[in-house]
Amino acid sequence: MKELLTLFLTFAKVGVMTFGGGYAMLPILQREIVENKGWATDEELTDYFAIGQCTPGVIAVNTATFIGRKQKGILGGIAATLGMVFPSLVIISILAGLIANFAHLAWVQHAFAGIRVCVCVLIFNAVVKLWQSAVKDAWGWVIFLAVLGVSLFTELSPVYCVLAAAAVGIAVQTVGGKKA
């Protein structure tokens, strides 16, 4: 029971400290899950992010579910998921009543503009950390550049990019004996 409470509280901490959505949570998740708790490696967390991106729902919630399940099975997955969403439910319930009354005020609009800039930096930091654990060799560069090109110049679903990248990774491992 103590471990389930720890899962809930750890993910509630991440949920309450993070503004800007799933991608803004990635650096905080990395610090809490990999560095502080040791529940996953950087590589495992990157895998969870990738799978979480391809499955329905919010990436941070999906990641919490994966990590909770890894730690304490189905109940761990439920505890981590509830911990991740609980702060948002409380905060959004309070804000929903207030925001309609104050959204027209200039200082509120300026505050949101500042928050958006901050979220961009948080997302950039997450990308840099993911980059360091994902693009390690020539095949990583090939996959990166191919997916970047496809995502910039087409409307192809990210799911297809992830599936194609997985297929290339399997092919490279099978044929060349190297990790992509």
Side-chain angles (χ1 to χ4, degrees):
M1 191 64 171
K2 181 180 177 186
E3 293 90 355
L4 294 175
L5 182 60
T6 301
L7 280 166
F8 178 86
L9 292 175
T10 299
F11 285 101
K13 177 181 171 184
V14 171
V16 80
M17 291 174 30
T18 309
F19 295 90
Y23 292 109
M25 289 182 175
L26 300 184
I28 295 172
L29 275 169
Q30 192 277 338
R31 184 182 66 235
E32 287 298 317
I33 303 312
V34 175
E35 295 173 16
N36 293 349
K37 298 293 185 188
W39 289 340
T41 64
D42 280 324
E43 290 77 17
E44 287 173 322
L45 193 60
T46 301
D47 292 343
Y48 294 148
F49 291 159
I51 295 167
Q53 179 66 35
C54 296
T55 53
V58 179
I59 187 172
V61 174
N62 293 347
T63 301
T65 306
F66 292 137
I67 292 168
R69 188 172 189 297
K70 177 185 174 194
Q71 293 303 306
K72 294 302 289 178
I74 291 173
L75 289 178
I78 292 169
T81 302
L82 290 176
M84 183 63 84
V85 299
F86 180 74
S88 296
L89 290 174
V90 172
I91 292 168
I92 200 66
S93 295
I94 293 168
L95 287 178
L98 298 174
I99 199 75
N101 296 326
F102 298 105
H104 66 283
L105 297 175
W107 69 269
V108 172
Q109 293 172 0
H110 295 307
F112 280 125
I115 290 170
R116 284 191 297 271
V117 171
C118 177
V119 168
C120 288
V121 172
L122 293 174
I123 292 170
F124 178 77
N125 288 339
V127 168
V128 169
K129 285 189 179 196
L130 288 171
W131 174 281
Q132 292 169 342
S133 67
V135 181
K136 295 182 176 182
D137 59 13
W139 279 109
W141 274 101
V142 169
I143 294 168
F144 171 79
L145 292 172
V147 173
L148 178 65
V150 168
S151 67
L152 288 175
F153 301 112
T154 73
E155 297 292 320
L156 189 66
S157 169
V159 172
Y160 296 121
C161 291
V162 171
L163 292 174
V168 171
I170 291 168
V172 167
Q173 176 67 27
T174 302
V175 173
K178 290 183 179 178
K179 186 177 179 185

